Amino acid sequence: MRVLPTLWLAATALATNFNQPVLWEDLADLDIFRVNDTFYYSASTMHYSPGAPILHSYDLVNWEFIGHSVPNLDWGNIYNLDGGQAYVKGIWASTLRYRKSNGMWYWIGCIQFSKTYVFTSPSATGPWTQSGVINTCYYDCSLLIDDDDTMYVAYGGTQISVAQLSSDGLSQVKTQQVFSSSFSIEGSRFYKRNGQYYILNDQPANAEYVLKSSSPWGPYTQKQLLNNIATPISGGGIPHQGGIVDTPNGDWYYMAFVDSYPGGRVPVLAPITWGSDGFPVITTVNGGWGTSYPYPLTPHTLSSPTGKDTFQGTSLGSQWEWNHNPDPNYYSVNNGLTLKTAKVTNDLYAARNTLTHRILGPQSYATIQLTINNMKPGDRSGLAMLRDSSAYVAVINNSGTLRVSMVQGLTMDSNWNTASTGNEVAGVNLPSGTSTIWLRASADIHPGSGRTAVFYYSTDGTTFHSIGSSYVLNNAWNFFMGYRYAIFNYATSSLGGSVVVNSFDMESGSP
Ligand SMILES: *[C@@H]1O[C@H](CO)[C@@H](O)[C@H](O)[C@H]1NC(C)=O
Ligand SMILES: *[C@@H]1O[C@H](CO)[C@@H](O)[C@H](O)[C@H]1NC(C)=O
C-alpha cells in the first residue's frame, strides 16, 4: 500500500503544472482580461476574415475559440481581393473589454495607420457591429474602463498617448501625449490596480516596460519588466509584447508572445508579483521564463484544438478564418462545406474563398476529404501551406483528366504582390470516375530555419501516398502571420464548378 501516495503525488504534480506555450497557435498581439471567473483573449489577424478572434478560458491555460469581434473587413475592395490585395494590412494590435455599466463588449482597433474603429456587442459571441469611427489612429491600443466608468485608450509608438472617450465609448473627447520614451516602445496595455495606472509596452522584440502613474494623464515613470529573458520555447524569440490579468484569488499573471516562425507568434504565461515600489516582477525559473509553472487555477479543459470538423450546422466554427473577406454567394455550410469556384485566376494568392486554419505546433497534420465530381475543366482545389511563400497539393481537372498535383514556389514580393504562382513538382493522374479524394499536409513549425511540410493524397482514406518533395517553410518574420492550413477551390477557365469539403481533421504529431 506504500505505492499509493507516490502515485498520487506524481499524478497531482502532472495535473497541476502547465507547459509553454499555453496554446501553440499563431495568436499574436494578445489582449487578455477577466470577467467574473472567465478569461478572454483577443488577437490580431491582419488580412484574415472574420478578424480579431475571441477565445475564453477558466484557468488561463486551456483556451477555446468563441467568436470574432470584426465580422467582416469593411475597409475597401482590396479586403475582398478585388483590385488588389490587403495582405498584412487590416487588424493589428487592438483591444477588447467588457463594460459592466451597460453590459456591452467593446473592440477598438486602428486600421492602416488611419482611422480607429469601435465595434460593440451585447455578448462576446456577438452579434458584433461597427458602432463608431474615430479620426485618430490609436496605433497598438488598449482600452481601460476606470472605476467611475470613464473609458480611456492608451496608444502609440514611442510617444505614448491617452485618449478619453465619450460616455458611450464611440467617439473621442480628448487625447494627450503622456510619455515620450528614449527608445522605441509600442504594444500598449492599460490597467488600473490599487489606484495606480499602468501602461505596459514592449521594446520589439526582446523587452517589456511598465509605465506607472497615479493619474491616467501622467506623469508616468518607466521601469523594465524584462529584457532578453531566456525563452521557454527552444529556438524561439524572447517573450515580449503582452498583458497582465488577475485571477479571482488575487494572483497576477503576465502573458506574452514568443516569435516562433515559421509558425507565427504563440502565447506564454508566467506568474508576477508586485514589488514594494508598486511595479510588477516576473517569477523566473533559473533566471529565465519557466518552461513550466503551477496551474493558476484548477485545470478546466475545453474543446480540443485537434480532431475532425465535419462542418455540421450552417456556419463555420470560430477557429476558421478566410483569406480576405469571402464572397458568401460562393460557399455554404450544411453537413459539409461547399466551395463553388469564386474567381477565375491562375494565382492562389488572388483566389477568393480560401478557408484557413491555424497550424497546431510544434508539429501537426491536417487531412481534408473532398468530393470532386463537380469540378469543371481548369478548376483547382486543394490544401495549402499558406504564407508569403507557399506550396500545396491539389486536384486539377485537366480538361477531363483528374490529376493530383504538388505545387511549390508560390511567392510574394516585399509589397505582398504575387511574384510567382509556383510550379508543379510532381503529379499523378487519377482513375476516371474518382469522386472522393483525401489530401493531407504535415507541418513541422518548430521555430527555426529548414522546417518542412510534406503533402499526401489518398483515394481510399487509408493509404496515403506522399507527393512531391518536402517543402521548406519560410521562417522570416516580415509577413507577421505564420503559416496556415488553407483549403481552396478556384477556376482557371470559367466559374460554375464546386467541391464539397466533407471533413477537416487536424492531429498533433506526424502521420
Ligand atoms: C458576473 O457576475 C455577476 C454576479 O453574479 C453577474 O450579475 C454578471 O452578469 C456576470 N457578468 C458576466 C458578463 O457574465
Ligand atoms: C472535368 O472536365 C471534363 C471536361 O473537360 C468534364 O467532362 C468532367 O465532368 C469534369 N469533372 C470531372 C470530375 O472529371
Side-chain angles (χ1 to χ4, degrees):
M1 288 292 103
R2 298 185 104 151
V3 72
L4 278 177
T6 317
L7 280 176
W8 180 84
L9 277 175
T12 307
L14 282 176
T16 54
N17 277 275
F18 70 88
N19 296 316
Q20 314 281 11
V22 293
L23 176 56
W24 200 315
E25 289 194 5
D26 187 11
L27 289 160
D29 302 337
L30 60 99
D31 192 17
I32 51 169
F33 61 100
R34 177 173 64 84
V35 183
N36 294 342
D37 65 346
T38 314
F39 300 96
Y40 295 88
Y41 185 134
S42 173
S44 290
T45 35
M46 299 196 154
H47 48 275
Y48 288 107
S49 176
I54 305 170
L55 299 89
H56 74 180
S57 172
Y58 299 98
D59 58 16
L60 284 170
V61 174
N62 293 286
W63 292 92
E64 178 179 69
F65 288 87
I66 59 165
H68 288 86
S69 298
V70 180
N72 204 58
L73 315 181
D74 291 325
W75 306 306
N77 288 339
I78 57 169
Y79 288 91
N80 302 329
L81 284 167
D82 179 7
Q85 43 76 18
Y87 288 108
V88 195
K89 296 185 169 72
I91 294 171
W92 290 29
S94 53
T95 185
L96 175 70
R97 285 291 181 278
Y98 172 70
R99 190 182 197 188
K100 220 189 303 182
S101 64
N102 63 359
M104 294 296 281
W105 299 73
Y106 289 77
W107 177 90
I108 302 177
C110 169
I111 303 304
Q112 284 180 249
F113 303 100
S114 163
K115 293 175 181 178
T116 297
Y117 293 80
V118 183
F119 283 69
T120 59
S121 173
S123 156
T125 54
W128 283 88
T129 45
Q130 185 188 300
S131 304
V133 183
I134 296 169
N135 285 323
T136 307
C137 173
Y138 296 162
Y139 173 79
D140 274 13
C141 62
S142 177
L143 175 60
L144 168 70
I145 302 171
D146 210 340
D147 307 327
D148 66 0
D149 203 38
T150 306
M151 296 171 77
Y152 299 103
V153 177
Y155 67 92
T158 306
Q159 291 4 291
I160 303 300
S161 294
V162 167
Q164 182 180 333
L165 303 184
S166 54
S167 56
D168 62 7
L170 305 181
S171 60
Q172 176 179 289
V173 171
K174 68 172 215 179
T175 184
Q176 180 177 310
Q177 186 181 310
V178 298
F179 191 78
S180 178
S181 177
S182 58
F183 48 88
S184 156
I185 56 171
E186 57 179 27
S188 288
R189 292 289 173 240
F190 203 4
Y191 306 96
K192 189 180 189 185
R193 176 186 168 269
N194 291 350
Q196 298 294 303
Y197 295 82
Y198 294 88
I199 303 174
L200 271 70
N201 295 107
D202 71 308
Q203 181 190 27
N206 56 352
E208 185 80 8
Y209 287 82
V210 181
L211 301 176
K212 173 173 153 318
S213 174
S214 55
S215 158
W217 305 110
Y220 284 91
T221 50
Q222 188 180 42
K223 190 176 175 188
Q224 191 180 85
L225 177 59
L226 64 83
N227 185 18
N228 287 323
I229 192 171
T231 183
I233 301 180
S234 176
I238 293 148
H240 58 288
Q241 189 174 334
I244 57 174
V245 70
D246 65 344
T247 70
N249 304 334
D251 300 321
W252 284 83
Y253 287 84
Y254 173 45
M255 189 182 273
F257 66 70
V258 166
D259 286 22
S260 187
Y261 295 104
R265 292 170 285 174
V266 300
V268 293
L269 184 71
I272 54 173
T273 54
W274 296 87
S276 53
D277 61 358
F279 279 93
V281 179
I282 294 221
T283 304
T284 55
V285 177
N286 300 326
W289 189 297
T291 55
S292 174
Y293 288 104
Y295 252 85
L297 293 157
T298 308
H300 183 132
T301 52
L302 298 167
S303 64
S304 170
T306 58
K308 190 184 262 194
D309 189 340
T310 53
F311 304 101
Q312 298 301 298
T314 53
S315 58
L316 293 165
S318 302
Q319 69 277 26
W320 291 102
E321 287 159 8
W322 301 90
N323 177 23
H324 294 66
N325 293 323
D327 184 334
N329 296 315
Y330 291 94
Y331 80 91
S332 60
V333 180
N334 188 2
N335 298 336
L337 166 69
T338 301
L339 292 177
K340 298 178 184 173
T341 52
K343 192 164 174 180
V344 178
T345 178
N346 284 307
D347 179 6
L348 173 61
Y349 290 136
R352 291 199 72 179
N353 293 12
T354 295
L355 184 63
T356 73
H357 196 288
R358 287 175 183 75
I359 296 171
L360 182 69
Q363 208 158 351
S364 66
Y365 58 102
T367 309
I368 59 170
Q369 185 199 27
L370 285 180
T371 300
I372 53 175
N373 55 13
N374 195 38
M375 292 182 78
K376 288 191 67 178
D379 288 2
R380 274 181 188 234
S381 177
L383 180 63
M385 290 290 295
L386 188 67
R387 209 175 175 233
D388 54 329
S389 308
S390 304
Y392 62 78
V393 59
V395 178
I396 305 165
N397 185 338
N398 230 344
S399 343
T401 306
L402 286 177
R403 182 173 176 82
V404 183
S405 179
M406 188 260 167
V407 173
Q408 69 176 36
L410 291 84
T411 53
M412 291 180 180
D413 66 19
S414 56
N415 295 314
W416 319 123
N417 293 309
T418 303
S420 169
T421 57
N423 298 295
E424 183 181 276
V425 174
V428 178
N429 290 338
L430 293 171
S432 66
T434 304
S435 63
T436 303
I437 190 150
W438 288 259
L439 302 176
R440 175 177 284 173
S442 166
D444 175 358
I445 56 165
H446 280 97
S449 62
R451 309 303 178 209
T452 56
V454 180
F455 296 92
Y456 303 82
Y457 74 97
S458 170
T459 51
D460 62 9
T462 306
T463 307
F464 282 81
H465 312 278
S466 82
I467 182 166
S469 46
S470 303
Y471 176 66
V472 178
L473 303 172
N474 154 22
N475 74 320
W477 60 268
N478 314 58
F479 192 71
F480 291 107
M481 299 270 99
Y483 275 95
R484 291 189 177 192
Y485 296 124
I487 308 170
F488 62 88
N489 182 30
Y490 64 89
T492 62
S493 169
S494 61
L495 299 185
S498 64
V499 296
V500 179
V501 187
N502 300 298
S503 60
F504 169 92
D505 187 2
M506 181 171 78
E507 301 298 338
S508 55
S510 51

